[in-house]
Amino acid sequence: MAANRRPTLADVAREVGVSAKTVSRVLNEDGPASARTREQVLAAVARLGFQPNLMARNIRVGGPDTTIGLVVPDLGNPFFGAVAGSIEDRVRERGLTLLMGSSADDPDRERALTDKFLARRVSILMVVPSVGADHAHLRQHRAVGLPVVFVDRPGAGLATDCVVSSNREGARAGVTHLVGYGHRRIGFVGDLPTRLYTRRERLAGYREALRDAGLPDDRLLIASAHDQHDAGEATARLLALPDPPTALFAGNNIVALGVVAELARSGRKDVAVVAFDDVALAEALEPALTVVAQNPEEIGRTAATTALARLDGDRSRARTVTVPTRLIVRGSGEQRVSASA
Amino acid sequence: MAANRRPTLADVAREVGVSAKTVSRVLNEDGPASARTREQVLAAVARLGFQPNLMARNIRVGGPDTTIGLVVPDLGNPFFGAVAGSIEDRVRERGLTLLMGSSADDPDRERALTDKFLARRVSILMVVPSVGADHAHLRQHRAVGLPVVFVDRPGAGLATDCVVSSNREGARAGVTHLVGYGHRRIGFVGDLPTRLYTRRERLAGYREALRDAGLPDDRLLIASAHDQHDAGEATARLLALPDPPTALFAGNNIVALGVVAELARSGRKDVAVVAFDDVALAEALEPALTVVAQNPEEIGRTAATTALARLDGDRSRARTVTVPTRLIVRGSGEQRVSASA
DNA sequence: GTGAAAGCGCTAACAA
DNA sequence: TTGTTAGCGCTTTCAC
């Protein structure tokens, strides 16, 4: 019960009868040390259960901490989970540890998190920027050598490295797939807010595909949803239109869940669907869900690689890397337009 | 380009013409400060873009760092993502930040992560323990006041708080559901390794349900898989048995994906299924997937609440909290046994 | 091969 | 209301 304090370097030194510096030397394999001393020190360390205080070390050494700060909108979203896992894989070999937080797409929460990360002197800062967040304040940190990377979306007010999916091209390919099966009225169910980069890009890709096909862009066919439930309702509303869509394009993984669930609920097998971002069990649906798959592992890896290069002194211009998406045709896009139209 | 050093408290103090302590006071709203001084300090802080070094502060204050270390097997698994998000939600109000890492269920990686977290003097340590990991080394830290909580599985070699799902009861309820529809040969597809706590508990629940129903426990009906792909193959093997199961129980979310995908691939609608842990789109499958849903949010919340109570001085005995599961009947468990048997 | 002293950036304790 | 001194746990620097 005695809240005994943790042993320090000095405790170990005292135990062995050497100076603190000697212990430090042994532990960091810095400078020389006699075999005998080394042995004694190591024994004492084990005996006392000494664990060096990394914060104290960092303070003295002055360099950045061996952590990497990552802000995502939602830890529970599998897409961001996959990105985070990929980042971790890539930076682990460099001894970096992940400091993570979720912003809920709230600029204030994002700012609070990045401020905390900066106060901890993270080695690298990665952010999935929230709509409305400004990142001008990060400029000074970047200037002092902190790599800042935006992930999934570009940030505002700061020119720095950025890794995104090929949202526009992907959406265009997905919608073109639907057009190819004769659909002329294709609904778009996007996420919110409408100013969200991914939403805008994917909508733009949708519109490009329509234009390519000479189809009109009917605003009535464009819906939005915050979450899976809303996406289901938006789907129902679209299908209840006087002149309803015969196909739907889902703007992200969460929306896709809602769209697919609603079609299943209402037994509408006649509506073609393509979703942006892959979802679990897509291939087990009937029909199996055709998707524009993102590559979260590659996004994470690229972001990490870019940041590490900066850490190693890469001073080249900020670049935006676009990670390709891939149309995975599984069937749901192939419902032909019925004669009713 | 000049890798100028970051401003320190002393820089701010010099800029204003006061002592470092005064700046410290203003920033921490410690002690008094004249309106004028406060104003000047704040202005200088903004002008220099000063951000206090949290590590230095922590070192001096001596308490634990305002971080919480969390080790999960896989950041990309939505179950652990949901747990992590829930923990973060709960501890954010206390100003704690998440330090996260994935162990890949490897005891060495787990140990490396916990050691790093301990070296950072985390306020709380939460671990989803890997099979084969020993946690005796954590005892001394717990003794010094560090709350240690095992999540999803009990740890070995250390009696401390633990939060788990009602694995056994849940599995039993799920299998009983299948028994209720006349199934006498029910396959179990579990995860690996077989020594995994959740695997063993769920298998035990499965066996209890069989025993309750007076059904034999046929070892041939028990399969294992590491990942989704393997689970699909295991499913195929089970169904290819001379006397195959008419129903399957999937032992976790990943296995469920494989089982369901394989049944879809082979067009086997006659096989009943119940899965442990909910999966996205379960309700959109045909038939919709009946699951024993876990409650990752509640698991995370409970783990966090328990740990915070310890931080606040709760010295009561270590307790294991079991978070209830819930059978969500959606249809896939209701395929009746065909006459062929 | 080892140690003493100084200092990293910050705050506790005591003055003034 | 403000400043001074000392020291958190560690490493750097320089001496021996």
Side-chain angles (χ1 to χ4, degrees), chain B residues 193-262:
Chain B
T194 54
R195 290 160 59 210
L196 195 65
Y197 169 79
T198 48
R199 146 88 183 210
R200 290 204 327 246
E201 285 295 305
R202 292 167 197 175
L203 182 57
Y206 159 88
R207 286 184 163 140
E208 286 179 7
L210 294 188
R211 198 175 322 123
D212 291 347
L215 295 175
D217 175 15
D218 185 347
R219 302 192 82 93
L220 287 177
L221 294 182
I222 294 173
S224 303
H226 256 306
D227 54 33
Q228 175 172 351
H229 180 77
D230 287 357
E233 296 189 340
T235 301
R237 278 197 302 278
L238 282 177
L239 295 180
L241 286 175
D243 189 5
T246 60
L248 295 173
F249 186 80
N252 75 10
N253 58 348
I254 305 296
V255 165
L257 300 182
V259 169
V260 169
E262 171 58 21

Side-chain angles (χ1 to χ4, degrees), chain B residues 58-116:
Chain B
N58 263 310
I59 266 285
R60 178 64 252 232
V61 173
D65 190 17
T66 56
T67 50
I68 164 169
L70 173 64
V71 181
V72 299
D74 174 17
L75 287 171
N77 185 321
F79 174 75
F80 296 116
V83 171
S86 170
I87 291 170
E88 192 209 7
D89 270 355
R90 186 71 180 73
V91 301
R92 187 184 32 250
E93 58 203 42
R94 293 279 282 256
L96 298 181
T97 306
L98 221 49
L99 210 43
M100 259 183 103
S102 59
S103 65
D105 270 321
D106 172 355
D108 295 334
R109 266 180 68 175
E110 177 187 318
R111 178 61 185 264
L113 280 168
T114 53
D115 278 352
K116 267 200 181 153

Side-chain angles (χ1 to χ4, degrees), chain B residues 281-306:
Chain B
L281 288 183
E283 74 269 32
L285 296 168
E286 298 171 29
L289 185 64
T290 292
V291 301
V292 179
Q294 298 192 80
N295 193 339
E297 288 75 23
E298 180 63 19
I299 291 173
R301 187 166 35 239
T302 303
T305 302
T306 303

Side-chain angles (χ1 to χ4, degrees), chain A residues 231-285:
Chain A
E233 294 189 339
T235 302
R237 276 198 302 277
L238 282 177
L239 296 179
L241 286 176
D243 189 6
T246 61
L248 295 173
F249 186 80
N252 74 11
N253 58 348
I254 305 296
V255 165
L257 300 183
V259 169
V260 169
E262 171 59 20
L263 291 181
R265 199 195 57 73
S266 57
R268 292 294 301 268
K269 298 242 181 201
D270 56 321
V271 180
V273 182
V274 171
F276 201 101
D277 201 15
D278 208 356
V279 298
L281 289 184
E283 74 270 34
L285 297 168

Side-chain angles (χ1 to χ4, degrees), chain A residues 5 10 45 85 87 105 110 121 162 165 187 191 200 236 267 289 314:
Chain A
R5 119 201 124 59
V45 163
I87 291 170
D105 270 321
E110 176 187 319
R121 304 295 188 259
C162 177
S165 283
D191 46 0
R200 288 204 329 244
L289 185 63
D314 176 357

Side-chain angles (χ1 to χ4, degrees), chain A residues 9 21 24 28 50 53 57 60:
Chain A
L9 203 71
K21 178 60 201 169
S24 169
N28 296 309
F50 169 73
N53 186 325
R57 172 172 220 287
R60 179 65 249 228

Side-chain angles (χ1 to χ4, degrees), chain A residues 23 33 39 45 105 112 136 142 242:
Chain A
V23 179
E39 216 171 278
V45 163
D105 270 321
R142 225 183 79 97

